[in-house]
Amino acid sequence: MSNQTSIAPLSVRESMMTHPTLGAGSFLDVAAELNPNNQVPFLYKHNTNTKGQVVLKGFSLCDVQSIRNKYAAWYHENDVVAGDVVGVYVLDGVEPLFHFLALSALGAIPAMINDRMAIPSVVRYLAHIGAVGIVCDDTTALAAAYREDPRERPGFIVPSNEIHAFIDDSAELPAQFPYQHKPEDVVALIHSSGTTGVPKATMVAHKQFWSGKEIRMTRFPAEPYDRMMSLMPHTHAGGLSYFLTAALLGLPMVAMSGWTKDVVVPVMEAFQPTMVSSFPRTFVDLITGEPPVKAAAKVHTWFNTGDSVHYGHISKLVQLGERPSGLVKAWLLPKDKASGEALPGSQFIDGLGSSEMGMALFGKVWTPESERSDRNVGKPMEAVQEAAILDEQGNRLANNEVGLLAVKTPSRTPGYWNAKELTERFELNDFWLTGDIAYRDDEGYYFHLDRTTDVIEMNSGLTFSLSIEEILIADFADVVLDAAVVGVKGGGDAGQQPIAVILLQPGVEEPADMAAYLKSVNKALSEKKLSALKAIVVAKNDEDMPTGVTGKVLKRVLRTRHAKLLTKTQKIVEAPEAV
């Protein structure tokens, strides 16, 4: 990598905080115009050569602009115009970013699709959003899916290689390029994870997606030695958000095209990041087995967004790396000068957010010195105008009362594409419902108990799956690597009852006496005043702990699969057949 810095000077970053036209549709051009280091590589892709060595290729802001323009010229030559929706279904890494930039620069709307989404779901999703076309790596499988009903086929299905290799000196761009977005213009569609059903199409707007991120220009760690590794899917709002931040800061960033430990660690060793952004899936993978001490040697900060991470996983991650003292204040509070003294271990920024929220709106900093505080997701970020716990009628609840987590913020999505009624279901008393169950304590900290769809309705009252998972993962870490708790029908007149599906630590045998083990788990749960588990199922393989396209455990699948677990005679140490 270049020894020159690509990071924008502080004065430039400060000017971006009040830039009049800066937004999700213009950030690349603003960054290239204002950053004097715009020809120094900052965005990196990774490959492996024939010798098994990691090869990093860098792109400067000017390089990215050039690639963006080439892709945009292809789309323009093929009659894509402002307002058109185009599906982007390509391998993760830098490629989705280039297509996003090209389409939004034409005023078109890229529908970013995770490369793990199954073809039948892609077809249904494209029909719902009304895509005029789609670019994908494998056109054969997608085209075959339309043979039964060609009427549903979009205008074009184009292999990504065709656009990647496009060279036509006579190709022209529109007279007005890049497109000048209005604040309310939609610049992308981001699908949900699908953990609760069919993915929803969340709208990302020009001004809305920038709102709340302004403070990152001066508070986000961006020293000459800083490097970001992005493990977020770059078709997701989280991946786009961190890329937007990196581009404006000129922060060196490697966009990973794989998230599993075997792919990540070699690139981490070559790139030596100081910051890593990811969903929980990779954090769990990184702490499985031998910890990546050498690869994470320079990491001072781990960033999580989406679902909050379990303490049992965080506590292991923060033992890795090193951090300058004062870094915590530099991130969440007005920036103080770090002393430069290296402290052992790293910090973990656990952010509760979603595509709908536009960014992580609650944040908690964890360090090796932090006291345990299960399900504590911190306090609202500055982008939040008001946060509240509501009942189902929209009334505000008092401290320590459990209810619906709700926010007022300019960063929230304009809504769901072609789904007005669905959008309205998440609006209550002028708040946006995040889809989470939580409470606020007397000190103003918020505690995330569950997703609304995962609450277990027992005859004795409500039980929250995430709280039970915390105990399994942290207090029984000698056996349990990861856990998912769901509610299933109990015997007789019983309501739902909690069961746990667990992944064992590598090399660990399942308890010989599962009944005794379950009893010890329930004793620990009782001490925390949590409901007892009725059964523990040991996952034998990945299929027994199914995940969605973003790596979240599909609890709806587990609820269906184990629906009759408690109503039939069966050893609970064996995963039952799907129901």
Side-chain angles (χ1 to χ4, degrees), residues 90-380:
V90 299
L91 183 67
D92 205 354
V94 299
E95 281 300 310
L97 300 173
F98 293 153
H99 288 280
F100 162 79
L101 293 168
L103 288 162
S104 61
L106 292 170
I109 302 171
M112 311 299 287
I113 303 173
N114 191 292
D115 63 351
R116 291 181 64 195
M117 186 184 285
I119 293 291
S121 296
V122 173
V123 170
R124 290 194 299 270
Y125 185 68
L126 291 174
H128 168 66
I129 61 179
V132 302
I134 182 170
V135 55
C136 58
D137 293 332
D138 180 6
T139 59
T140 303
L142 191 57
Y146 286 103
R147 287 176 188 151
E148 289 187 10
D149 189 358
R151 294 172 300 176
E152 293 290 335
R153 182 183 173 116
F156 62 82
I157 302 176
V158 177
S160 54
N161 283 341
E162 179 177 327
I163 303 176
H164 183 74
F166 177 67
I167 298 176
D168 185 350
D169 294 335
S170 65
E172 296 182 356
L173 290 167
Q176 184 185 49
F177 184 87
Y179 183 86
Q180 301 300 301
H181 291 88
K182 300 181 182 66
E184 67 277 8
D185 283 346
V186 177
V187 298
L189 298 180
I190 306 296
H191 65 75
S192 64
S193 64
T195 54
T196 57
V198 178
K200 303 181 287 289
T202 303
M203 292 186 283
V204 170
H206 174 65
K207 189 65 175 177
Q208 163 257 323
F209 198 60
W210 168 239
S211 294
K213 299 181 178 67
E214 298 91 340
I215 61 171
R216 292 182 178 178
M217 296 301 96
T218 56
R219 297 194 198 170
F220 202 91
E223 300 296 337
Y225 56 80
D226 276 316
R227 297 185 183 93
M228 166 74 74
M229 171 175 268
S230 176
L231 291 157
M232 302 262 178
H234 298 97
T235 51
H236 188 278
L240 292 178
S241 181
Y242 278 100
F243 172 62
L244 178 153
T245 300
L248 290 171
L249 295 175
L251 176 67
M253 183 189 100
V254 59
M256 294 296 298
S257 58
W259 61 270
T260 55
K261 186 176 182 179
D262 61 323
V263 175
V264 171
V265 170
V267 180
M268 189 180 286
E269 287 187 3
F271 190 67
Q272 286 291 291
T274 62
M275 295 175 279
V276 178
S277 63
S278 178
F279 286 145
R281 60 181 187 177
T282 303
F283 294 139
V284 176
D285 217 29
L286 286 176
I287 61 170
T288 301
E290 192 70 24
V293 175
K294 179 181 176 182
K298 298 297 183 182
V299 174
H300 59 62
T301 306
W302 310 89
F303 291 102
N304 172 69
T305 192
D307 292 342
S308 54
V309 178
H310 290 295
Y311 172 80
H313 297 144
I314 294 173
S315 61
K316 294 179 181 178
L317 273 173
V318 296
Q319 302 303 318
L320 301 171
E322 62 180 24
R323 67 214 137 104
S325 63
L327 191 62
V328 171
K329 289 186 177 181
W331 166 236
L332 287 182
L333 301 174
K335 188 166 184 178
D336 291 338
K337 185 69 175 178
S339 70
E341 177 187 354
L343 300 176
S346 48
Q347 66 178 10
F348 189 97
I349 310 296
D350 194 16
L352 180 64
S354 65
S355 299
E356 291 87 345
M357 293 190 219
M359 58 182 291
L361 294 181
F362 297 82
K364 177 78 170 70
V365 180
W366 299 92
T367 69
E369 299 79 31
S370 297
E371 293 184 6
R372 181 171 170 178
S373 182
D374 287 1
R375 308 312 305 159
N376 186 343
V377 294
K379 296 182 178 181

